[in-house]
Amino acid sequence: MSTKGLLMVKKPENMVKFKLKLKTVIPIFTVILLLVAGGCGPGNKKEEAKIITGFAQGTTYRIAIKGDTVVGTKAAIDSLFDVVDRSLSLYNPNSLISRINRNETDSVDALIADCIKVAHGISETSGGLYDITIKPLTQAYGFAEGKPTKSPNLDSLLPIIGYKKISVQNGRLVKSDPRMQLDLNSIAQGATSDIISRYLDSQGIKEYLVVTGGGEIYCKGLNANGEPWRVGIDRPYEGNIVPGQDLQTVIGVSDKGLATSGNYRKFYINEDGDKVVHTVNPITGKCVISNLLSATVVAENATLADAYGTMFMVLGLNESIKFLEGHPELDAYLIYTDDDGVYQIYMTPGMSEMVAK
């Protein structure tokens, strides 16, 4: 892929300058799957990936499988998506997590228990800046409904926020206050990718790529060209609405999970001219003021990548970089704006190695 006219690299730093101004763009940062990769000459034999697509979680999913697929694979995958929806979806009023939030039950299934366990670990690591009990706050701010309010009553909300105020005991969710509610959206789609990948493993499928509707990915093995699976990241500007139409970069990933979180659609400008984004700090209860627009994270699995991406949006650019420097098991591609509103990129050394040459 030619990058002429696209990037201007400033060495030796892992930063790239975009010739775009914040005031003229609304960034769109979509992770897409490059199902067809070039590079095979006419004399090379390659094994084409078979594509399975479907509708789930309010959007479409895509799965590429290299080699023979198992009869009934799509039906089984659709069934797994249905299981996840009945458990983790906040958009399904009859899901288990929705009923737990309404205090109609306190029983948790294995999916919810696993998500809570992973989330607790990341909450500890982040000092509480990642927190799945944040739903009352995000609901009060109204970003999900497209009607944000600038001043919810934090004095009444903060007492029912806090990951240490919940626990799973003998298959039941214990809350310190019945008004507490869980929001697993920052981890559920990544977990879904991992659930699908474990099913494919159980069927003896050794090389594949799973993409859920939110762009959360888990990939294993190599693609049809015998290379790491190639994942494209759209260039973030207002007119680039078709995934793959204009790519910012392409990375090669194998045996890892990948997810992107972003602060680029739901926001308002405060009286000081700062961009107040829809990410909420669970400790202060306030919306984050940040120049970090998006974070693409590569981790051991998609569950972790999904949750860490959300965590970075709360941490902000500088603290995210510090965190990444102390956690070499994670790689990230961060897009932010400098003081002049010019787009910049920070990449970990490992992510730099993944960028397709």
Side-chain angles (χ1 to χ4, degrees):
M1 183 186 73
S2 173
T3 58
K4 185 177 180 181
L6 179 60
L7 304 177
M8 180 174 69
V9 180
K10 300 183 350 181
K11 296 181 179 180
E13 300 172 327
N14 288 323
M15 293 191 297
V16 182
K17 178 172 285 187
F18 285 51
K19 296 181 179 179
L20 298 172
K21 291 290 185 178
L22 178 60
K23 63 181 180 181
T24 63
V25 299
I26 299 174
I28 299 172
F29 198 79
T30 306
V31 177
I32 65 147
L33 165 63
L34 299 184
L35 296 175
V36 180
C40 286
N44 293 336
K45 189 176 181 180
K46 65 178 182 178
E47 189 175 14
E48 294 291 348
K50 300 170 182 66
I51 310 303
I52 297 174
T53 63
F55 187 82
Q57 300 176 324
T59 183
T60 56
Y61 69 82
R62 307 189 81 178
I63 297 172
I65 296 175
K66 180 181 169 185
D68 295 331
T69 55
V70 178
V71 175
T73 296
K74 184 181 186 311
I77 288 171
D78 286 338
S79 177
L80 285 172
F81 273 110
D82 188 51
V83 169
V84 172
D85 181 69
R86 294 198 307 268
S87 173
L88 302 176
S89 174
L90 284 179
Y91 302 103
N92 179 355
N94 298 316
S95 70
L96 181 55
I97 192 65
S98 294
R99 291 189 287 120
I100 287 172
N101 283 341
R102 293 194 300 265
N103 293 314
E104 295 173 1
T105 181
D106 61 1
S107 296
V108 300
D109 60 12
L111 298 183
I112 293 175
D114 287 346
C115 283
I116 291 175
K117 181 178 180 180
V118 173
H120 183 87
I122 297 175
S123 296
E124 290 278 285
T125 300
S126 68
L129 290 176
Y130 175 82
D131 196 322
I132 59 172
T133 69
I134 202 169
K135 188 176 187 300
L137 275 171
T138 56
Q139 186 172 1
Y141 276 106
F143 280 108
E145 293 77 25
K147 299 177 181 179
T149 177
K150 300 178 184 179
S151 55
N153 188 338
L154 297 183
D155 289 338
S156 66
L157 291 169
L158 286 176
I160 58 173
I161 306 298
Y163 73 97
K164 292 183 179 180
K165 300 175 184 178
I166 63 165
S167 62
V168 175
Q169 299 177 19
N170 299 318
R172 297 186 179 278
L173 180 67
V174 178
K175 307 176 185 179
S176 67
D177 189 306
R179 295 174 297 166
M180 296 186 71
Q181 298 181 62
L182 305 186
D183 184 343
L184 299 178
N185 284 343
S186 64
I187 198 169
Q189 287 190 314
T192 303
S193 289
D194 291 335
I195 290 166
I196 301 300
S197 72
R198 288 195 291 271
Y199 165 74
L200 296 177
D201 290 342
S202 74
Q203 299 303 300
I205 298 172
K206 301 183 183 301
E207 296 183 289
Y208 56 80
L209 190 150
V210 177
V211 187
T212 58
E216 290 75 18
I217 289 173
Y218 186 81
C219 55
K220 187 173 183 179
L222 303 175
N223 67 10
N225 293 336
E227 301 170 339
W229 292 96
R230 293 164 67 83
V231 177
I233 301 171
D234 282 349
R235 195 171 356 173
Y237 63 87
E238 186 174 6
N240 192 15
I241 61 175
V242 179
Q245 178 174 274
D246 188 3
L247 295 179
Q248 164 58 39
T249 192
V250 177
I251 63 175
V253 187
S254 291
D255 303 318
K256 295 284 186 178
L258 179 149
T260 295
S261 294
N263 276 332
Y264 43 84
R265 288 179 178 167
K266 299 174 182 177
F267 62 90
Y268 66 85
I269 306 300
N270 68 12
E271 58 274 11
D272 297 322
D274 296 318
K275 181 180 179 182
V276 182
V277 298
H278 76 285
T279 299
V280 179
N281 183 317
I283 297 175
T284 65
K286 297 180 180 180
C287 288
V288 173
I289 297 175
S290 177
N291 65 335
L292 178 60
L293 300 177
S294 63
T296 295
V297 179
V298 174
E300 176 185 351
N301 54 55
T303 308
L304 290 172
D306 199 3
Y308 276 120
T310 299
M311 185 193 79
F312 289 145
M313 302 316 297
V314 181
L315 286 179
L317 176 67
N318 293 333
E319 291 304 314
S320 293
I321 292 174
K322 289 180 183 179
F323 186 91
L324 288 163
E325 288 173 346
H327 290 79
E329 75 278 11
L330 299 175
D331 283 301
Y333 189 102
L334 310 179
I335 291 185
Y336 65 99
T337 54
D338 62 19
D339 292 339
D340 295 322
V342 178
Y343 279 56
Q344 305 280 356
I345 292 174
Y346 169 85
M347 290 185 284
T348 58
M351 183 65 81
S352 298
E353 292 298 316
M354 295 180 210
V355 172
K357 301 299 189 289

